[in-house]
Amino acid sequence: ELKVEQNPLFLSMQEGKNYTIYCNYSTTSDRLYWYRQDPGKSLESLFVLLSNGAVKQEGRLMASLDTKARLSTLHITAAVHDLSATYFCAVEGWEYGNKLVFGAGTILRVKS
Amino acid sequence: DAGITQSPRHKVTETGTPVTLRCHQTENHRYMYWYRQDPGHGLRLIHYSYGVKDTDKGEVSDGYSVSRSKTEDFLLTLESATSSQTSVYFCAISPGTSYEQFFGPGTRLTVL
């Protein structure tokens, strides 16, 4: 069974600070996705990571993938209030028919 | 935004009644998915479709059935709703595996 674990599950941080969200998964995969969800809204695609060593950046967010460690990170640089949301990672397991398995999500609150 | 609509957006029903949720896309994507979102569980796959009349079960398929008679429509049916099926249901689409999935606006279902 493919398991995806995110930590922390809740993160409260001050504006201007840096932090990292971790996504660990239990099986071989080189396909990982990050999504953002605002309260009461749908999921918005942030990053698509499709190979070992992949790094993508958009604004204050940077995502990376280490398939050997089965780990992806979402790094937040100089947080601003607008980044407050829930962030999900999702792993595509080829032996599971390429379906996505989601982590439980990290609730991020950026305080001014 | 990807052209995905879900109907209804909100529904309150009683235990034992049948319920059908509809997902409609205008992107002509091959793959369509139904997820449920519950606190602490992230998103869990209920059923998915990889083409007209081609469907398969996901992680939490018990109590749900699906149908896809046209490329653009994917229906999720709860034959006899139970309180444990109270949740937010999201439809997603993608052109194929190893592509990001695009999510619809969600349907909030309450089973009393």
Side-chain angles (χ1 to χ4, degrees), chain A:
Chain A
E1 181 185 356
L2 171 55
K3 291 188 181 297
V4 180
E5 291 187 354
Q6 286 184 239
N7 68 83
L9 297 182
F10 182 77
L11 176 56
S12 179
M13 56 191 299
Q14 294 289 134
E15 278 194 329
K17 299 294 187 182
N18 305 331
Y19 209 83
T20 300
I21 299 170
Y22 297 89
C23 175
N24 292 90
Y25 54 96
S26 63
T27 191
T28 303
S29 176
D30 56 1
R31 305 277 192 268
L32 192 139
Y33 307 80
W34 284 96
Y35 290 88
R36 167 182 171 144
Q37 185 181 37
D38 293 308
K41 303 294 185 182
S42 185
L43 279 78
E44 172 191 355
S45 176
L46 290 176
F47 299 110
V48 178
L49 304 170
L50 298 179
S51 62
N52 185 42
V55 178
K56 296 281 184 73
Q57 182 162 5
E58 179 73 32
R60 301 175 187 274
L61 300 178
M62 183 174 71
S64 65
L65 178 60
D66 181 343
T67 60
K68 294 177 182 176
R70 300 179 183 175
L71 171 68
S72 180
T73 60
L74 180 66
H75 186 73
I76 303 153
T77 301
V80 293
H81 180 73
D82 285 353
L83 290 179
S84 296
T86 300
Y87 293 85
F88 293 95
C89 64
V91 177
E92 184 177 315
W94 64 268
E95 69 267 37
Y96 298 97
N98 297 104
K99 299 188 289 289
L100 291 189
V101 177
F102 281 78
T106 296
I107 301 172
L108 172 65
R109 293 291 175 260
V110 181
K111 299 182 292 186
S112 53

Side-chain angles (χ1 to χ4, degrees), chain B residues 60-81:
Chain B
V60 290
S61 60
D62 287 349
Y64 302 94
S65 63
V66 290
S67 66
R68 191 171 178 197
S69 59
K70 297 185 290 185
T71 299
E72 58 265 34
D73 289 324
F74 193 32
L75 303 181
L76 177 70
T77 297
L78 291 65
E79 300 290 347
S80 178

Side-chain angles (χ1 to χ4, degrees), chain B residues 8-66:
Chain B
R9 294 292 313 280
H10 301 270
K11 186 169 182 68
V12 179
T13 191
E14 294 187 349
T15 297
T17 61
V19 176
T20 296
L21 308 183
R22 180 184 184 232
C23 177
H24 179 79
Q25 61 147 329
T26 58
E27 305 295 323
N28 201 35
H29 283 344
R30 178 183 174 192
Y31 285 77
M32 298 185 76
Y33 307 83
W34 277 107
Y35 293 91
R36 61 178 289 173
Q37 183 176 29
D38 303 291
H41 289 278
L43 275 78
R44 291 180 292 175
L45 182 65
I46 304 171
H47 281 282
Y48 69 104
S49 169
Y50 45 95
V52 173
K53 294 192 169 70
D54 291 323
T55 64
D56 205 350
K57 295 179 179 180
E59 179 187 1
V60 290
S61 60
D62 287 349
Y64 302 94
S65 63
V66 290

